[in-house]
Amino acid sequence: TGEVVALVGGRGEKNANRTLNRATTTTRAVGSTFKVLASFLPAIDSAGMTLATPIDDRPYYYPNTDKEVINWWAKGKKEFFNGPFYGLNTIRRGISYSMNVIAVRTLEMVSPQVSFNYLKKLGFSTLVESRYDQASGKIFSDINLSLALGGLTDGVTNLELTAAYAAIANGGVYNKPYLYTKVLDHDGRVLLSNAPQSSQVMKTSTAYLLTSAMVDTVSGGTGMSTGSRLRFREYKMPVAGKTGTAANNNDLWFCGYTPYYTASIWSGFDNNYTQINQSYQQDIWRTIMERIHAERELPYKEFTIPDSIVTAKVCTKSGKLAIDGVCDVAEGGSTVRSEY
């Protein structure tokens, strides 16, 4: 609905008023949480792609540079893959396994400008369209391919990142977050009114497809190591979401939702120290969210599948409808799968 029901601006005891609120004021690097919003959302919503669309995970350099895009597991974390690149992979797998190269290649096909326009519709106010820096003589802009990996000039606030994910959870309807409904005087007269502001920012089908892939993130993708932390322990409820890590583990995120609530947890130091424990923010997310659902006794329900979604047999190599005799069982497993 856009109603902010819980907000934490820092750890420890509150000992002053109007102090720094890290949930609303601080802008931070967002890492892989932006892949879904900046790359895969516009790809599915406006570029004719689906969760079955294959993207080639192979060596890639940002255009006109010698800067290579490296997958996160290539730096010694081989739990998921046997090498730094993994060839053709679907967008579903690109989301659930948080594949950097696939995210950037997808954004290149969509175009950074289209992505930027979507992000503005999702309520991000801190994005930089163009800014001239007098000291360096350089022009900074967030309209570039690094958007796919959360490479931003200033970063974003937790509040606005959470609202963007809530739009996916809400069937594509963005609600500007608000912290009060109205203010009355002592006679009950309305002094301030704060009505919610809503807009449809993506198709309902897009919202569901992204949700379906992010359910995989929790249950089988990067969730192979984190899923047990993110799934509710005692209270049964489906969970979808996306992890995020910025450079040197300075910023750790989890943005996730159920059919009822959306929450994002950021953890880090104001002065950018590397964090050794890289998953405790997920414990915080699960603990808070499970308690809310349990205490309010919210009944179990699945994410709603809109009428615009159909299921089809697809070829995992082409992303097209499977054809008998062309896309059959191959050595080591089938190249046909059911997909939304």
Side-chain angles (χ1 to χ4, degrees), residues 71-83 245 249 278:
N71 285 316
W72 58 268
W73 64 83
K75 298 179 180 179
K77 298 180 178 180
K78 302 290 175 56
E79 308 98 310
F80 298 89
F81 301 100
N82 295 322
T245 305
N249 298 317
Q278 299 173 30

Side-chain angles (χ1 to χ4, degrees), residues 283-301:
D283 292 328
I284 296 172
W285 188 92
R286 185 202 68 250
T287 301
I288 293 171
M289 290 288 271
E290 183 167 18
R291 180 173 175 179
I292 289 171
H293 287 71
E295 289 189 354
R296 299 193 176 185
E297 298 181 343
L298 298 172
Y300 178 87
K301 66 177 180 179

Side-chain angles (χ1 to χ4, degrees), residues 33-42 107 110 115-116 119 147-148:
T33 62
F34 237 46
K35 290 174 182 172
V36 171
L37 305 174
S39 184
F40 299 118
L41 188 161
L107 179 58
V110 170
S115 171
F116 188 84
L119 293 168
L147 263 180

Side-chain angles (χ1 to χ4, degrees), residues 83-247:
F85 302 102
Y86 214 63
L88 285 176
N89 275 264
T90 62
I91 283 182
R92 174 183 286 276
R93 193 170 174 87
I95 294 173
S96 63
Y97 282 92
S98 196
M99 302 175 79
N100 292 350
V101 174
I102 287 181
V104 177
R105 285 186 180 278
T106 301
L107 179 58
E108 186 175 39
M109 289 185 278
V110 170
S111 91
Q113 183 64 63
V114 169
S115 171
F116 188 84
N117 294 343
Y118 268 93
L119 293 168
K120 295 297 286 186
K121 290 195 299 181
L122 285 166
F124 290 106
S125 64
T126 60
L127 300 181
V128 176
E129 185 168 1
S130 181
R131 177 195 297 162
Y132 176 72
D133 180 67
Q134 287 185 320
S136 64
K138 296 180 179 179
I139 296 177
F140 291 92
S141 174
D142 289 335
I143 307 176
N144 54 58
L145 291 176
S146 62
L147 263 180
L149 306 182
L152 304 173
T153 306
D154 294 332
V156 304
T157 67
N158 191 326
L159 180 67
E160 292 185 348
L161 184 62
T162 307
Y165 268 84
I168 303 174
N170 196 35
V173 177
Y174 171 80
N175 291 306
K176 185 177 181 180
Y178 61 104
L179 296 110
Y180 70 93
T181 53
K182 58 185 175 181
V183 177
L184 310 177
D185 67 9
H186 65 284
D187 293 323
R189 290 180 297 226
V190 177
L191 299 178
L192 294 173
S193 180
N194 196 24
Q197 302 175 39
S198 299
S199 59
Q200 188 84 35
V201 296
M202 73 192 85
K203 301 170 187 173
T204 55
S205 56
T206 301
Y208 179 75
L209 293 175
L210 294 173
T211 295
S212 176
M214 286 191 283
V215 168
D216 285 359
T217 298
V218 173
S219 63
T222 49
M224 288 174 66
S225 61
T226 63
S228 60
R229 290 178 177 270
L230 295 167
R231 290 192 293 268
F232 291 179
R233 301 288 173 82
E234 305 294 336
Y235 205 79
K236 187 174 176 60
M237 192 67 64
V239 171
K242 185 73 187 70
T243 56
T245 305

Side-chain angles (χ1 to χ4, degrees), residues 256-274:
Y257 51 90
T258 70
Y260 294 98
Y261 288 102
T262 304
S264 298
I265 303 295
W266 167 82
S267 60
F269 293 93
D270 292 332
N271 295 322
N272 290 333
Y273 296 116
T274 297

Side-chain angles (χ1 to χ4, degrees), residues 22 28 249-252 266-270 273 275 280:
R22 293 162 187 82
R28 302 294 309 198
N249 298 317
N250 290 340
D251 299 89
L252 303 175
W266 167 82
S267 60
F269 293 93
D270 292 332
Y273 296 116
Q275 298 173 89
Y280 69 99

